[in-house]
Amino acid sequence: MANCLTASLLFALRKFKQDAEPLRCQASAEVGRNEQNCPRVLGIGIELQLGRRAAELEHLPRVLGQFEKFCTVGRSVAQGIPVCLWVRDAEGVQLKQSEE
């Protein structure tokens, strides 16, 4: 899922001829037990970080507004597991946060 979201973001940036590399991705999962006491993944957190400052990139709001919907794996997993996604620029400024 993390790789799919990273690839989707990279594709969207390149579509607008924006070089934000290197991209960095970190993912984590919360594992616990459901109501039947069975082990399950209860949530996933993914943080993507651009290799450049947001001010250096054109069309960034448009890219950030649409790249998630093109991630096949991410959209599929999010139907059954809550997912939190953060996107930050090279200086750590939070550009996007979404929870599904």
Side-chain angles (χ1 to χ4, degrees):
M1 182 174 171
N3 285 337
C4 188
L5 279 165
T6 304
S8 182
L9 178 58
L10 184 59
F11 178 82
L13 288 162
R14 287 181 175 170
K15 185 175 178 181
F16 289 103
K17 298 179 177 33
Q18 301 301 297
D19 178 14
E21 296 176 45
L23 297 182
R24 189 179 69 99
C25 179
Q26 185 170 343
S28 61
E30 177 188 353
V31 178
R33 296 193 175 269
N34 66 8
E35 297 81 26
Q36 294 79 32
N37 203 31
C38 297
R40 296 287 186 266
V41 175
L42 303 176
I44 298 172
I46 297 177
E47 182 175 323
L48 302 176
Q49 186 167 15
L50 304 173
R52 309 249 324 254
R53 293 181 310 119
E56 299 174 38
L57 301 168
E58 297 177 18
H59 310 287
L60 193 55
R62 188 166 176 196
V63 168
L64 294 174
Q66 65 184 4
F67 82 94
E68 285 180 83
K69 70 180 175 183
F70 295 105
C71 176
T72 305
V73 176
R75 295 287 40 103
S76 299
V77 171
Q79 290 180 12
I81 299 172
V83 176
C84 294
L85 171 68
W86 299 271
V87 180
R88 300 182 190 281
D89 74 0
E91 294 180 328
V93 175
Q94 184 172 303
L95 306 173
K96 178 181 181 87
Q97 178 179 349
S98 63
E99 298 181 37
E100 295 188 30

